[in-house]
Amino acid sequence: MTMCPMASSANSWRKPDNVVATDNHTIDKSTYQAPDYGYACLKYAKATDNFDRSKEPPSGPNPVVKLPPLWRTELPNGIQAIGTVTREQPTVAIVISLPGGHLAQAGRRDQAGLAQLHARMLNEDTQNRTAEEMSLELQKLGSSIFASSALDHLSFSVQALTKNLDRTLPLIEERLLRPKFTAAALDRIKKQTFEGFKAAKGNPEMIATDVMAKLRYGSDHILGIDDDGTEESVSKITLHDIERHRR
């Protein structure tokens, strides 16, 4: 199929040679009825105001945020608890925070990323169930349990239906106290981490964040290293390191 060349600019356009006469078609309006778009009853009302639009208006009063009342207590084992009650949904949300996280590696910067790997391993098998079996059991209850590592703590985030909380609590205990660390799971998670490192090298935002951290804290400071660690540090982490970190 032959394509006609397009004009390079508006100035280079010229009248086609195959036009034999000017347009002399006239619409017959004797049988034409314009559609009713509903605009006939509309009237234009120009907005009026009494303030100077060239000046930025001043800020108004700060909004008052009404927070739900919080309760605090200390459990018999010394754990500090804080919570609130809402009746909007028949669910319970629990967050268990334990000291640790990225800052715990300040003395072993060569193992940066260990806290993240440890947290991800806690979402794998337990001594009683495989990760798939645990996931199926949680799905039956409409619950979720997820471990994650932050700057200064390890947390377990739990969501459960109120009626199924008693059946979810043993699963929390199992995942928290009886994990099963396997070499196969560690190898898979490390490979996923390495893929993340490769993807980050092509992400300008991630590159800028990494450079800013090194400029601000220095490359030898734990805060100058990403909490996922580096390719070098993660490659050196072994299953024994994961088990030792837990202890």
Side-chain angles (χ1 to χ4, degrees), residues 192-211:
Q192 293 171 348
T193 303
F194 290 139
E195 291 300 320
F197 290 148
K198 292 179 182 178
K201 292 178 180 178
N203 187 319
E205 182 179 355
M206 296 295 294
I207 295 174
T209 300
D210 184 57
V211 172

Side-chain angles (χ1 to χ4, degrees), residues 44 100 117 131 210 243:
Y44 174 69
L117 287 179
D210 184 57
E243 295 171 343

Side-chain angles (χ1 to χ4, degrees), residues 22-231:
T22 58
D23 186 6
N24 58 2
H25 175 68
T26 303
I27 299 177
D28 182 7
K29 297 184 179 181
S30 61
T31 59
Y32 173 75
Q33 183 178 358
D36 182 9
Y37 295 108
Y39 298 150
C41 62
L42 298 180
K43 294 182 180 180
Y44 174 69
K46 186 177 181 180
T48 59
D49 53 60
N50 57 0
F51 58 88
D52 187 356
R53 290 182 176 272
S54 64
K55 297 180 181 179
E56 182 179 354
S59 301
N62 292 328
V64 178
V65 180
K66 294 183 179 180
L67 298 176
L70 301 177
W71 54 262
R72 297 174 183 269
T73 188
E74 182 175 333
L75 303 181
N77 56 6
I79 294 178
Q80 301 293 324
I82 181 173
T84 187
V85 177
T86 176
R87 305 295 183 186
E88 294 183 4
Q89 295 179 337
T91 59
V92 177
I94 303 173
V95 178
I96 304 172
S97 295
L98 305 172
H102 187 49
L103 290 180
Q105 298 305 120
R108 290 293 306 274
R109 294 186 298 277
D110 59 318
Q111 289 191 332
L114 176 59
Q116 283 285 0
L117 287 179
H118 172 251
R120 295 180 65 179
M121 291 285 285
L122 289 173
N123 293 315
E124 297 292 327
D125 299 347
T126 68
Q127 295 178 14
N128 299 333
R129 294 177 175 85
T130 64
E132 291 77 13
E133 291 171 343
M134 174 66 78
S135 178
L136 289 174
E137 190 65 27
L138 290 170
Q139 288 180 19
K140 293 177 185 177
L141 300 174
S143 305
S144 65
I145 304 172
F146 182 74
S148 60
S149 178
L151 180 64
D152 59 356
H153 66 274
L154 168 70
S155 66
F156 283 81
S157 301
V158 183
Q159 293 278 350
L161 296 173
T162 304
K163 65 179 182 180
N164 291 335
L165 178 60
D166 290 342
R167 298 170 61 188
T168 304
L169 290 176
L171 300 179
I172 302 173
E173 180 183 9
E174 182 177 332
R175 176 150 281 179
L176 177 63
L177 301 180
R178 293 186 294 277
K180 182 180 179 180
F181 301 136
T182 64
L186 178 60
D187 290 342
R188 171 170 48 82
I189 293 173
K190 287 174 68 172
K191 289 179 181 178
Q192 293 171 348
T193 303
F194 290 139
E195 291 300 320
F197 290 148
K198 292 179 182 178
K201 292 178 180 178
N203 187 319
E205 182 179 355
M206 296 295 294
I207 295 174
T209 300
D210 184 57
V211 172
M212 179 61 70
K214 286 179 169 55
L215 291 176
R216 180 176 297 175
Y217 301 105
S219 57
D220 292 333
H221 195 283
I222 189 62
L223 293 180
I225 305 173
D226 188 83
D227 54 1
D228 282 330
T230 64
E231 294 183 28

